[in-house]
Amino acid sequence: MATERYNPRAAEPRWQKAWDSAKLFEARNDDPRPKYYVLEMFPYPSGRIHIGHTRNYTMGDVVARYKRAKGFNVLHPMGWDAFGMPAENAAMQNKVHPRDWTYGNIAAMRAQLKVMGLSIDWSREFATCDVDYYHRQQMLFLDFAEKGLVTRKTSKVNWDPEDMTVLANEQVIDGRGWRSGALVEQRELTQWFFRITDFSQDLLDALDRLPEWPEKVRIMQQNWIGRSEGLLIRWPLEQSTAPAGESELEVYTTRPDTIFGASFMAIAGDHPLARKAAAENPALAAFIDGIRRQGTSAAALETAEKKGFDTGIRVVHPFDPHWALPVYVANFVLMEYGTGAIFGCPSGDQRDLDFANKYGLPVIPVVMPEGEDPATFQITEEAYVDDGVMINSRFLDGMQPKQAFEEVARRLSVVAVGNRPMAERKVNFRLRDWGVSRQRYWGCPIPMVHCDACGVVPVPKADLPVKLPDDIDFDRPGNPLDRHPTWRHVACPKCGKPARRETDTMDTFVDSSWYFARFTAPWEDRPTDPAAASDWLPVDQYIGGIEHAILHLLYSRFFVRGMRATGHLDLDEPFRGLFTQGMVVHETYRSADGHWLQPTEVRIETDGAGRRAVEIATGRPAEIGTLEKMSKSKRNTVSPEEITDGYGADTARWFMLSDSPPERDVEWTDEGAAGAHRFLQRVWRLVSGAARALGETVPQPAASGGAGAVSRAAHKALKAVGEDIEKLAFNRAIARIYELTNVLTGPIGDIEDADPAMKAACREAVSILTHLLAPFMPHLAEECHATLGGRRMVAESPWPQYDPALVVDTQITLPVQVNGKKRGDLTIARDADQGEVERAALDLDFVQKALEGRKPRKVIVVPQRIVNVVA
RNA sequence: GCGGAUGUGGCGGAACUGGUAGACGCGCUGGAUUUAGGUUCCAGUGCCGAAAGGCGUGGGGGUUCGAGUCCCUUCAUCCGCACCA
């Protein structure tokens, strides 16, 4: 039968328009149905939609369309993470205003996204650089400040010399700026901070209440927060050696049990005691200077020698007034962690051991593996870090390290140094406060004013927004707001005298820390409608890249806590379900002379012997390289347009979700895309053929025989696909749809001669198939649905319900094993009891043969699963 | 160093709580249809073997009637964090 090929280029825009005019995807806040909020991490408007974006949004769209069909009030919005450096770089390079560049990119990318046929509520779209958005962000900042969640402090910051801005710890990767790649320097600056550390414990505890987050992400956040329990010990200084005014050294340790193994103290170069000592000791000052210049990259740290310098200061051991220990300044002690001072126990820590060996310090073993002889147990080159039994530790001898910890804590907590206990228990976190000041133009201005008389004064809410000035120059690096002739000059809101605006703008991670809440009521003139935000949130399914496992997700979790404290919503956590999807990767190709070739520049030839690549332009063989994340440098990119122009959006959507599980990388191949398109055309032939042959066949109860098989296949697929989508197992759902299509191909080919029951079963089955396809290939599904005479659009139709009676078989085929090896099958009624199954199995020829007349020793019947005859 | 994964045909991958390993797709082989094809349809496709049969989920061992799945051990690859006291 001759069928027109399905033409996606005609059909897809038509259906997109139909969905649009019916406003099918616009969510209403007053809709009484249960809500479902599905969100993909919003894109940075770089200029082009990348194929990775497409995969991400398609996953969210499948969920959104499925949930909508299941009767939920679905919120599926889209916006733009639009502030940031690239806009300024473009301004510097191309003399284009960051605003124009950004909004131009947004327009281009929005058009690209629309081609994909995503079921997005575009009425809620915004960009974080919209004044409407950052205005409300400034309101939040002031509310946070009022609640004490914002502080201003001088601290050592990571300074990116290329971008001329401060970076958060999280933005320093291997000692380099996450964006510029420049080596980061340390500088002392006064900065704005969000007090995320106020929530350290809660941010940690609440991870256990996020069962729908990947384990990996929760562990990464746990490690990042880095909680440890230990003891803060105040070591008295030997007064004759101490700088004036210093009497003790505070040390944080998680191993107080090893205190009798201590042989030195080490403090950071920035430690106050080190500074004081250096003031009187030029050689020490020079040493500390050297530490500051030392690289902080991972490689530098790896190879950097552990170096120390004896300050001459001595501390007294807390348990022995006659035991003095030297205080070194050491290059491996961090001022930022704990107290910036440690005690070194060489026998229990490899780094301390190396240090002790280098400087000839004593090595006293204090923990020994169970069963060793304390008289002979020695530590020379390798520290013993495992559990064991205490030795050489006076009153701790014989204890487990855990008991020893408690004993030391107990004894020291009752001894006083001055008016404080010599030691107290302390919980320590690795997490630092979040520095949000950026010396950039294209960001949300921090709504603060500096007045010589009044100090730092918040901009009154009535005076918001603090708008970015339009007239700016990018002829020099640095912050253009600083150089603007007028913008920074403002009257002090308090005293009215001339004052200066804060010229720092906020880290763009602030923008993305609450956008999901703004989507719930983007029209509000306050940051949120607290009721709407609390109703819609948490996001039921959040989908994005693993690269945001720490930064964005942790900041958002903090923001929700801050917004709750300031009354903007009532919510524990922003994202109930989190899914981190894999990347789209592609083979790489190199020409004979070694330069990278684009996929469009090579032709792949395949035969029994394998695959070869040929450079089209030269006809010479090209080398097929490894799979890589698509990148400009390797030239292995495929653009969404290339695919949609050729095959249409449905094919692209289908291919990206088939085969590979969504959390893994998917390899883009031409063969795969072509295969997906073949399937699309096959479905169209099948459904349109069925529609023509069946006309208005009235569905009637499926009968037995072939019609029953068709019905059962359809209902089984219906059940399975729904369950797979719920689990985000898109590849499995797609395999199910293929299976159903394979089952239907035969019967529908012969449909002209079929009986009415078969016709009815096929009619129902193709209708089910259409609904199953709809989340994945929504345009094709609409076309099929219309061809079948569907009244409404699929996008506004409910998900069909499967018939429970049709998803179980009455006859089942059990594998029959003899001695654990499969020898054949047994077809029997599903509800046959164990005895029947056993008798029938023993009657089977191949079982008889295998038994050779012997009685079986045992017959194992697992109902509805397997029979195993043990001979 | 610490933490986390992953390992199944030529390839991507299925296999729910221990129960027919390889669903589904790609590729490949053979055949049919078509003016032709990069179309469509049919059949085949884990490995060895003519067959009977045997062997098969990174390697080795174990538990079990039965192991891809559980336990021990080992190897390989990938990812994250990392001078954190």
Side-chain angles (χ1 to χ4, degrees):
Chain A
M1 68 182 83
T3 308
E4 289 280 306
R5 278 176 76 83
Y6 172 72
N7 180 2
R9 283 155 77 178
E12 291 184 349
R14 195 169 71 238
W15 289 112
Q16 285 162 18
K17 213 171 269 173
W19 297 326
D20 253 11
S21 36
K23 296 189 188 298
L24 285 187
F25 309 133
E26 291 187 14
R28 295 180 52 126
N29 284 5
D30 59 359
D31 191 313
R33 293 173 300 169
K35 68 95 182 180
Y36 194 90
Y37 189 174
V38 54
L39 184 67
E40 303 93 52
M41 292 177 185
F42 67 164
Y44 177 78
S46 58
R48 306 215 62 73
I49 289 289
H50 181 269
I51 196 133
H53 290 124
T54 313
R55 187 178 187 216
N56 187 201
Y57 303 136
T58 302
M59 288 178 191
D61 198 48
V62 169
V63 174
R65 286 178 179 272
Y66 171 75
K67 288 290 179 179
R68 214 174 273 117
K70 289 290 271 184
F72 288 88
N73 180 30
V74 170
L75 178 57
H76 185 213
M78 179 60 69
W80 309 94
D81 189 12
F83 273 135
M85 281 293 300
E88 291 187 52
N89 292 337
M92 285 181 255
Q93 282 158 26
N94 309 327
K95 304 276 175 221
V96 54
H97 195 284
R99 173 174 293 105
D100 299 336
W101 184 85
T102 303
Y103 283 104
N105 286 348
I106 289 175
M109 292 170 76
R110 186 193 299 116
Q112 284 184 291
L113 281 185
K114 292 212 168 177
V115 169
M116 293 304 298
L118 303 168
S119 65
I120 284 169
D121 181 352
W122 288 102
S123 74
R124 295 178 187 238
E125 176 192 1
F126 60 77
T128 55
C129 64
D130 294 346
V131 179
D132 272 355
Y133 185 79
Y134 72 72
H135 178 182
R136 275 79 207 186
Q137 187 160 303
Q138 290 171 342
M139 293 168 81
L140 283 177
F141 188 92
L142 293 179
D143 285 348
F144 276 30
E146 209 168 290
K147 271 278 170 197
L149 295 176
V150 175
T151 99
R152 192 168 154 75
K153 51 186 174 184
T154 302
S155 76
K156 211 159 70 169
V157 296
N158 304 300
W159 178 259
D160 185 324
E162 194 168 311
D163 283 352
M164 297 189 66
T165 188
V166 167
L167 299 176
N169 286 340
E170 291 89 328
Q171 292 164 346
V172 180
I173 319 275
D174 288 345
R176 291 174 181 275
W178 71 301
R179 199 174 268 290
S180 71
L183 274 176
V184 167
E185 300 167 2
Q186 305 295 309
R187 285 202 184 177
E188 291 271 341
L189 280 181
T190 307
Q191 302 283 308
W192 291 99
F193 286 83
F194 280 128
R195 298 187 47 151
I196 189 170
T197 56
D198 285 5
F199 297 93
S200 296
Q201 189 67 54
D202 184 42
L203 286 167
L204 183 68
D205 292 343
L207 287 172
D208 292 336
R209 298 192 292 273
L210 292 170
E212 289 178 57
W213 278 39
E215 180 82 19
K216 181 186 171 80
V217 174
R218 285 185 308 199
I219 288 170
M220 282 167 78
Q221 292 216 353
Q222 254 171 41
N223 292 340
W224 191 263
I225 295 168
R227 183 184 195 273
S228 69
E229 283 180 29
L231 216 56
L232 189 71
I233 304 177
R234 302 189 173 94
W235 300 61
L237 301 186
E238 215 173 65
Q239 276 312 306
S240 59
T241 64
E246 298 288 334
S247 63
E248 63 180 36
L249 178 61
E250 279 194 342
V251 167
Y252 174 74
T253 177
T254 56
R255 293 297 302 275
D257 48 298
T258 64
I259 197 161
F260 290 105
S263 59
F264 66 94
M265 314 298 286
I267 62 178
D270 298 322
H271 195 280
L273 199 55
R275 293 188 185 199
K276 275 202 183 169
E280 296 154 21
N281 185 342
L284 176 59
F287 178 80
I288 292 173
D289 231 37
I291 296 179
R292 284 213 190 92
R293 278 198 303 271
Q294 152 188 309
T296 52
S297 74
L301 292 175
E302 191 69 33
T303 52
E305 209 183 341
K306 308 299 177 236
K307 282 189 293 193
F309 192 102
D310 188 349
T311 58
I313 302 169
R314 297 289 177 268
V315 296
V316 182
H317 195 280
F319 288 113
D320 187 343
H322 306 297
W323 185 353
L325 297 95
V327 178
Y328 282 76
V329 171
N331 63 348
F332 57 84
V333 180
L334 307 172
M335 194 58 219
E336 294 79 39
Y337 188 80
T339 60
I342 64 166
F343 77 76
C345 173
S347 63
D349 182 291
Q350 192 59 46
R351 188 191 55 202
D352 292 349
L353 181 60
D354 294 343
F355 190 86
N357 285 341
K358 178 166 179 172
Y359 292 102
L361 297 159
V363 179
I364 312 156
V366 284
V367 183
M368 168 191 87
E370 209 84 49
E372 288 269 348
D373 179 0
T376 56
F377 182 70
Q378 277 195 353
I379 298 283
T380 51
E381 292 302 320
E382 208 165 317
Y384 182 74
V385 296
D386 295 326
D387 216 355
V389 61
M390 304 303 305
I391 51 171
N392 302 325
S393 295
R394 307 188 191 185
F395 54 86
L396 302 175
D397 282 353
M399 290 184 183
Q400 305 283 310
K402 254 197 190 114
Q403 293 172 281
F405 181 120
E406 294 305 318
E407 184 62 17
V408 170
R410 194 181 62 75
R411 292 198 185 212
L412 290 183
S413 61
V414 296
V415 183
V417 183
N419 52 5
R420 292 182 303 178
M422 189 166 236
E424 46 192 286
R425 285 168 196 279
K426 195 184 167 204
V427 172
N428 200 64
F429 293 95
R430 214 181 70 110
L431 185 67
R432 303 267 72 90
D433 275 335
W434 174 16
V436 295
S437 290
R438 298 291 181 273
Q439 292 68 43
R440 307 303 325 169
Y441 164 74
W442 194 232
C444 172
I446 294 174
M448 290 284 176
V449 170
H450 301 274
C451 171
D452 288 336
C454 311
V456 179
V457 183
V459 174
K461 277 203 186 152
D463 293 352
L464 294 182
V466 177
K467 277 199 195 175
L468 287 170
D470 281 334
D471 49 332
I472 36 134
D473 287 327
F474 283 100
D475 44 1
R476 279 173 290 162
N479 184 357
L481 291 177
D482 264 343
R483 304 191 303 264
H484 192 279
T486 56
W487 185 78
R488 55 183 306 195
H489 303 298
V490 66
C492 170
K494 220 176 203 170
C495 68
K497 284 188 217 141
R500 300 174 314 282
R501 273 195 198 290
E502 172 64 65
T503 55
D504 286 351
T505 52
M506 290 183 218
D507 181 5
T508 57
F509 277 100
V510 178
D511 311 341
S512 54
S513 291
W514 71 285
Y515 78 106
F516 47 87
R518 183 70 185 166
F519 276 137
T520 64
W523 47 80
E524 281 289 319
D525 53 14
R526 29 182 191 160
T528 64
D529 167 354
S534 309
D535 283 350
W536 277 115
L537 292 165
V539 172
D540 294 278
Q541 188 62 61
Y542 196 35
I543 306 176
I546 185 72
E547 67 273 20
H548 293 111
I550 296 172
L551 306 176
H552 163 59
L553 292 170
L554 191 62
Y555 292 153
S556 298
R557 297 182 62 220
F558 159 72
F559 241 76
V560 158
R561 285 159 172 77
M563 289 173 77
R564 181 187 219 172
T566 50
H568 293 288
L569 43 70
D570 185 18
L571 180 71
D572 294 326
E573 283 286 335
F575 312 117
R576 185 171 60 80
L578 173 69
F579 188 82
T580 54
Q581 99 280 12
M583 295 182 302
V584 181
V585 296
H586 199 287
E587 278 181 332
T588 47
Y589 309 103
R590 258 185 211 265
S591 68
D593 55 5
H595 65 261
W596 299 105
L597 295 170
Q598 285 181 5
T600 49
E601 293 172 321
V602 299
R603 183 176 64 240
I604 303 291
E605 295 177 347
T606 26
D607 58 25
R611 302 174 70 243
R612 286 179 305 272
V614 175
E615 184 176 0
I616 295 167
T618 61
R620 293 200 295 173
E623 185 196 336
I624 299 181
T626 53
L627 292 175
E628 304 271 359
K629 178 183 181 173
M630 289 191 188
S631 73
K632 280 181 196 159
S633 61
K634 300 263 171 78
R635 306 193 75 204
N636 62 335
T637 55
V638 174
S639 76
E641 281 94 342
E642 283 172 48
I643 303 135
T644 48
D645 286 355
Y647 292 128
D650 282 343
T651 297
R653 294 169 59 118
W654 183 260
F655 174 60
M656 277 186 298
L657 298 186
S658 55
D659 296 351
S660 287
E663 68 275 14
R664 278 197 224 169
D665 293 351
V666 65
E667 185 195 352
W668 186 274
T669 62
D670 282 346
E671 294 90 339
H677 190 68
R678 256 198 319 271
F679 177 70
L680 174 144
Q681 294 292 355
R682 192 176 146 213
V683 168
W684 174 243
R685 275 196 309 278
L686 188 76
V687 176
S688 59
R692 248 198 326 278
L694 293 169
E696 292 294 304
T697 306
V698 181
Q700 52 174 260
S704 56
V710 166
S711 293
R712 277 199 301 276
H715 282 262
K716 279 182 187 170
L718 179 53
K719 176 171 190 276
V721 169
E723 288 168 356
D724 286 337
I725 294 177
E726 300 265 6
K727 285 184 256 177
L728 309 182
F730 306 118
N731 57 322
R732 293 214 299 266
I734 282 175
R736 299 286 192 176
I737 295 173
Y738 272 112
E739 275 179 340
L740 177 59
T741 309
N742 291 344
V743 169
L744 294 182
T745 300
I748 287 178
D750 303 330
I751 197 71
E752 309 275 1
D753 308 321
D755 61 34
M758 181 56 120
K759 285 186 173 168
C762 286
R763 182 77 177 65
E764 188 203 26
V766 286
S767 169
I768 286 174
L769 175 63
T770 298
H771 280 91
L772 296 184
L773 285 168
F776 301 93
M777 303 209 274
H779 312 87
L780 176 71
E782 294 294 359
E783 200 76 12
C784 289
H785 188 69
T787 300
L788 288 168
R791 278 187 303 278
R792 296 182 296 176
M793 286 186 276
V794 185
E796 50 189 336
S797 308
W799 193 254
Q801 291 205 322
Y802 67 84
D803 179 346
L806 288 175
V807 299
V808 289
D809 296 315
T810 48
Q811 291 273 312
I812 52 174
T813 301
L814 292 178
V816 177
Q817 298 180 330
V818 178
N819 292 332
K821 282 216 176 296
K822 190 196 167 189
R823 296 296 163 175
D825 290 315
L826 171 66
T827 302
I828 196 162
R830 181 188 174 78
D831 52 6
D833 65 39
Q834 292 221 7
E836 271 176 80
V837 175
E838 185 172 331
R839 277 191 300 279
L842 291 175
D843 262 358
L844 292 165
D845 284 350
F846 59 85
V847 174
Q848 291 287 333
K849 202 177 138 200
L851 285 173
E852 293 169 334
R854 289 167 298 171
K855 284 206 78 133
R857 279 200 291 152
K858 202 179 201 193
V859 180
I860 290 155
V861 176
V862 183
Q864 289 161 42
R865 282 212 182 267
I866 202 165
V867 180
N868 189 11
V869 178
V870 187

